[in-house]
Amino acid sequence: MAPLCTSTTITFLLILLTHSVHSPAAAFYLPGSYPQRYRPGDTLAAKVNSLTSPSSKLPYPYYYSLPFCTPQDGVRHAAESLGELLLGDRIETSPYRFSMLNNTTPLFLCRTDPLPPHTAELIKSRIDDSYQVNLLLDTLPVMRYVKNPIAPDMLLRSTGFPIGVRADDGEYYVYNHHKLTVLVNKQNGTTRVETLMATADGAELISFNGGKEGGGYTVVGFEVVPCSVDHDAAAVKDKNMYDEIASKAAAGCDPSVVGMRVHDNRSLVFSYEVTFVESSIEWPSRWDAYLEMGGAKVHWFSILNSIVVVAFLAAIVLVILLRTVRRDLAQYEDLGSESGTQADELAGWKIVAGDVFREPSHPFLLCVLVGDGVRILGMGVVTIIFAALGFMSPACRGALVTGMLCFYLVLGVAAGYTSVAVWKTVRQGDIAGWKSVAWRASFAFPGVGFAVFTVLNCVLWYNGSTGAVPFLLFLVILLLWFFVSVPLTLAGGLIASRVGHIEFPIKTNKIARHVPAAQCSPWVFVAMAGTLPFGTLFIELFFIMSSLWLGRVYYVFGFLLVVLALLVTVCAEVSVVLTYMGLCVEDWRWWWRAFFASGSVALYILGYAVYYLVFDLHSLAGPVSAALYVGYSLLMALAVMLATGAVGLGASFCFVHYLFSTVKLD
């Protein structure tokens, strides 16, 4: 799947550029996927993924965790992309057998051995933690519909289905009978998507089962109704896999009625049935049910409201700032014949002209943080753009994570270049120490991230979770860091060391000017400055957190791109305003404050993460899940701080450079 996703993505990019003028709506679909068409009677391969839970963040392997039925020819692993492995997906073949348009009565799957006490307790524990079974058919996850307890007329959708349920009597029951429904759409000839992809080299990527003559069928939906049926173990003793079984309970398949109780030394009997239903859903629209986010109207209205409010506030700040600066410049230009008293009255940011470009404290660290921030920001922007265009769709599982990792590695050039460029600018052309800056940029945030990742991965290894990255992949990631990321970062630093730097418009005094004592610490304003950037982000942050920790699909990258652009704008303006306020009180130490003025939004993200843990993830099970949540939340906040801090420092530097290059000094 992964190599195909890559090649078809390139093909679709060319198709979109070529055909968007004629019929953009008809030409566009989720790149990376293509229609697989089946004749009646063709076999459809169903697969299983890791067991997941909204309460526990530890995915477990399907077959090696619980006594499920295995395929007759043995379990085989499917080829997985880097992103799938990092997300904890482990896709394997399943015992479920589908034949296009062939409906089946309840079929026998298997009868387990009598459950040992520890296995029975494990099943009960998995049921308590709300673990879900995840089936896949033609890349579509199985979907379950249940009645909304608040509004019975509405149905709630969820991917996967529970292992079992704990009844009101305190007993545990397994959902051992699965009523599966496959929605298919009859294709009359070649679809437009196939026609577009059949151009040039794309033709060899498509399997036209049925061709133009037969049309064929495509899978457009996969649904399940899980039931707990009390099969008579003695009656199925001599049954073979896929034999028909007579069961009135299975024929009804009422999810509200339970029968297969989990008990020590009792066997479990599994069965399933399949129904094919022709649907009017077109193949390009089959992911709509998965990508539609709950509360869409509230989500979109909140995003629009945040954009309008923040844009209005940012416009006010910008107008005030421009008017104030222009007034100051006009007053200073008229100072030539004025008295010293008037000059003293106008003393402010011009007084610190000889110190404003003085080298900040800990310049090495500042340059490294800015370089890493530019790298993270670049990765986010490029990833969101590609995702908004549809090139990282759910049809290519793990494509988003794979793309983020690849972009991060490649943008090591940007990190090295920015770090060394800032170092040369601060040192006014002195390149001594640039190698050390580039080395630190290649190991700073990647080192912190890899350390957190290693610790959490060891915890997952210890617990036997599929969320743990396999050892070989762990080595691959380490090699990518040392042999791709580090050399590219050093190459970027080398390029920056050989190009020019930005000249300061004013010479720096040899002796630093005394900074007057402030009535209120400027760091209080720095901490408060993060509220405005956070106001642009917190609505979208809720949906992102829900996607990360509650298993919901996030696919409104167009809005996310707008929010990101707005966030960058607000961060720049907030940093500029605080820098100007500091200079007006004759405090020339603006470098670090400019960085943290916009970077302080990370504090509010951490606060929101705590709020989300308490009020939305209150059912989070176990210290391991809590450790995963805290570790990755800290890493996310650090990444946001570096990215927004780099924006703030860059904007403040441009403002200060422009301000002092405009005014004429005596």
Side-chain angles (χ1 to χ4, degrees):
M1 184 70 182
L4 186 59
C5 287
T6 304
S7 59
T8 52
T9 294
I10 298 174
T11 304
F12 252 107
L13 180 59
L14 298 176
I15 291 171
L16 288 174
L17 294 176
T18 306
H19 295 272
S20 59
V21 176
H22 302 286
S23 181
F28 187 73
Y29 179 64
L30 300 176
S33 61
Y34 63 96
Q36 179 70 36
R37 296 162 66 182
Y38 303 90
R39 293 191 185 99
D42 284 351
T43 300
L44 287 74
K47 299 178 182 179
V48 294
N49 204 347
S50 302
L51 301 176
T52 57
S53 168
S55 299
S56 174
K57 301 309 166 187
L58 301 177
Y60 286 103
Y62 181 83
Y63 290 110
Y64 305 104
S65 177
L66 297 176
F68 291 120
C69 304
T70 58
Q72 288 180 325
D73 55 352
V75 178
R76 296 192 303 273
H77 295 274
E80 294 177 281
S81 66
L82 177 62
E84 289 177 296
L85 293 174
L86 290 175
L87 290 174
D89 291 344
R90 298 295 183 271
I91 301 176
E92 300 166 310
T93 54
S94 77
Y96 299 95
R97 190 166 61 182
F98 297 83
S99 181
M100 177 59 72
L101 298 184
N102 290 337
N103 298 335
T104 66
T105 57
L107 301 178
F108 173 75
L109 264 184
C110 72
R111 175 177 178 267
T112 68
D113 296 330
L115 298 178
H118 69 275
T119 303
E121 290 301 321
L122 180 61
I123 295 176
K124 295 177 182 179
S125 175
R126 295 285 190 265
I127 293 175
D128 284 335
D129 290 338
S130 304
Y131 270 90
Q132 306 277 325
V133 177
N134 299 293
L135 297 182
L136 303 172
L137 184 68
D138 197 43
T139 73
L140 284 179
V142 70
M143 182 171 286
R144 178 182 179 227
Y145 291 88
V146 296
K147 291 184 178 179
N148 190 338
I150 301 177
D153 295 336
M154 299 179 61
L155 294 177
L156 298 177
R157 295 190 302 263
S158 63
T159 55
F161 57 91
I163 294 173
V165 63
R166 183 179 182 180
D168 295 335
D169 58 2
E171 296 293 337
Y172 293 83
Y173 297 85
V174 170
Y175 287 131
N176 62 322
H177 180 77
H178 308 137
K179 184 177 181 181
L180 301 168
T181 302
V182 182
L183 304 181
V184 296
N185 181 268
K186 187 174 182 179
Q187 301 293 307
N188 297 318
T190 304
T191 64
R192 176 170 176 79
V193 174
E194 291 174 322
T195 303
L196 292 174
M197 291 191 64
T199 60
D201 297 333
E204 62 186 28
L205 300 176
I206 304 175
S207 174
F208 292 96
N209 294 339
K212 294 183 180 180
E213 300 176 359
Y217 293 84
T218 57
V219 177
V220 295
F222 188 31
E223 300 173 1
V224 64
V225 177
C227 306
S228 181
V229 178
D230 189 11
H231 291 298
D232 186 0
V236 298
K237 183 177 181 181
D238 298 327
K239 293 287 185 179
N240 296 320
M241 185 175 283
Y242 307 122
D243 287 345
E244 293 186 3
I245 56 174
S247 175
K248 295 181 180 179
C253 195
D254 186 355
S256 62
V257 178
V258 292
M260 181 57 67
R261 188 163 66 95
V262 179
H263 194 274
D264 297 352
N265 301 317
R266 182 187 182 184
S267 298
L268 300 178
V269 179
F270 289 89
S271 60
Y272 77 106
E273 58 183 295
V274 179
T275 303
F276 285 85
V277 178
E278 287 200 34
S279 172
S280 60
I281 300 174
E282 296 290 340
W283 183 84
S285 303
R286 66 177 190 161
W287 280 95
D288 290 355
Y290 300 88
L291 302 181
E292 183 179 351
M293 303 184 67
K297 292 183 178 180
V298 176
H299 169 82
W300 291 31
F301 176 78
S302 299
I303 290 292
L304 182 60
N305 183 65
S306 297
I307 291 175
V308 172
V309 172
V310 174
F312 178 72
L313 293 176
I316 292 177
V317 171
L318 187 60
V319 169
I320 293 175
L321 179 63
L322 290 177
R323 292 188 62 182
T324 303
V325 172
R326 287 180 179 178
R327 183 189 61 200
D328 287 350
L329 288 175
Q331 290 176 341
Y332 283 129
E333 291 299 327
D334 295 335
L335 276 181
S337 59
E338 298 294 334
S339 64
T341 303
Q342 290 177 320
D344 291 338
E345 292 176 355
L346 294 174
W349 55 266
K350 187 178 179 183
I351 300 300
V352 298
D355 299 275
V356 71
F357 291 107
R358 188 175 300 280
E359 182 178 306
S361 59
H362 309 292
F364 264 92
L365 180 60
L366 181 63
C367 296
V368 168
L369 295 183
V370 172
D372 281 333
V374 169
R375 184 185 205 177
I376 294 169
L377 181 63
M379 176 198 69
V381 171
V382 176
T383 302
I384 294 173
I385 290 176
F386 271 81
L389 292 175
F391 291 98
M392 294 179 181
S393 71
C396 281
R397 301 179 65 86
L400 187 65
V401 176
T402 304
M404 290 177 62
L405 182 60
C406 292
F407 293 142
Y408 185 81
L409 293 173
V410 172
L411 287 172
V413 176
Y417 183 91
T418 305
S419 298
V420 176
V422 174
W423 173 255
K424 283 187 64 178
T425 300
V426 169
R427 306 274 296 183
Q428 278 300 280
D430 184 7
I431 64 172
W434 74 267
K435 294 180 181 178
S436 178
V437 173
W439 270 106
R440 296 184 187 187
S442 63
F443 284 94
F445 181 77
V448 174
F450 192 79
V452 173
F453 171 74
T454 302
V455 171
L456 297 180
N457 202 56
C458 290
V459 173
L460 293 172
W461 269 338
Y462 179 79
N463 287 272
S465 171
T466 59
V469 174
F471 183 71
L472 290 179
L473 180 58
F474 189 83
L475 291 180
V476 169
I477 295 175
L478 193 62
L479 293 176
L480 287 174
W481 180 17
F482 281 99
F483 293 101
V484 177
S485 177
V486 173
L488 288 177
T489 306
L490 295 178
L494 177 63
I495 295 173
S497 67
R498 297 185 176 182
V499 298
H501 64 281
I502 301 176
E503 295 284 349
F504 293 153
I506 298 174
K507 293 183 178 181
T508 302
N509 297 331
K510 293 183 179 180
I511 301 176
R513 180 182 179 84
H514 174 71
V515 178
Q519 296 180 351
C520 180
S521 174
W523 292 103
V524 174
F525 297 100
V526 168
M528 295 175 59
T531 56
L532 193 56
F534 182 73
T536 70
L537 188 65
F538 82 97
I539 293 295
E540 207 67 27
L541 188 61
F542 168 78
F543 290 92
I544 294 174
M545 298 287 280
S546 299
S547 175
L548 290 174
W549 301 108
L550 294 179
R552 299 172 184 171
V553 179
Y554 184 90
Y555 206 70
V556 286
F557 291 102
F559 272 99
L560 185 59
L561 185 61
V562 174
V563 170
L564 179 61
L566 191 59
L567 175 66
V568 170
T569 303
V570 174
C571 285
E573 293 176 343
V574 166
S575 182
V576 167
V577 170
L578 283 188
T579 298
Y580 180 72
M581 289 173 58
L583 296 179
C584 286
V585 295
E586 303 179 17
D587 190 347
W588 46 267
R589 300 167 300 183
W590 60 272
W591 294 86
W592 281 105
R593 284 203 299 272
F595 181 87
F596 285 114
S598 53
S600 61
V601 66
L603 295 176
Y604 297 91
I605 291 178
L606 278 179
Y608 183 81
V610 174
Y611 170 86
Y612 191 84
L613 176 63
V614 173
F615 294 98
D616 292 279
L617 290 180
H618 48 79
S619 60
L620 198 66
V624 176
S625 298
L628 291 173
Y629 180 84
V630 172
Y632 286 122
S633 296
L634 289 173
L635 197 60
M636 179 179 66
L638 177 60
V640 172
M641 185 197 73
L642 295 177
T644 54
V647 171
L649 183 64
S652 291
F653 178 82
C654 293
F655 168 75
V656 172
H657 190 278
Y658 171 78
L659 183 63
F660 285 92
S661 62
T662 303
V663 65
K664 297 179 181 180
L665 298 175
D666 294 335

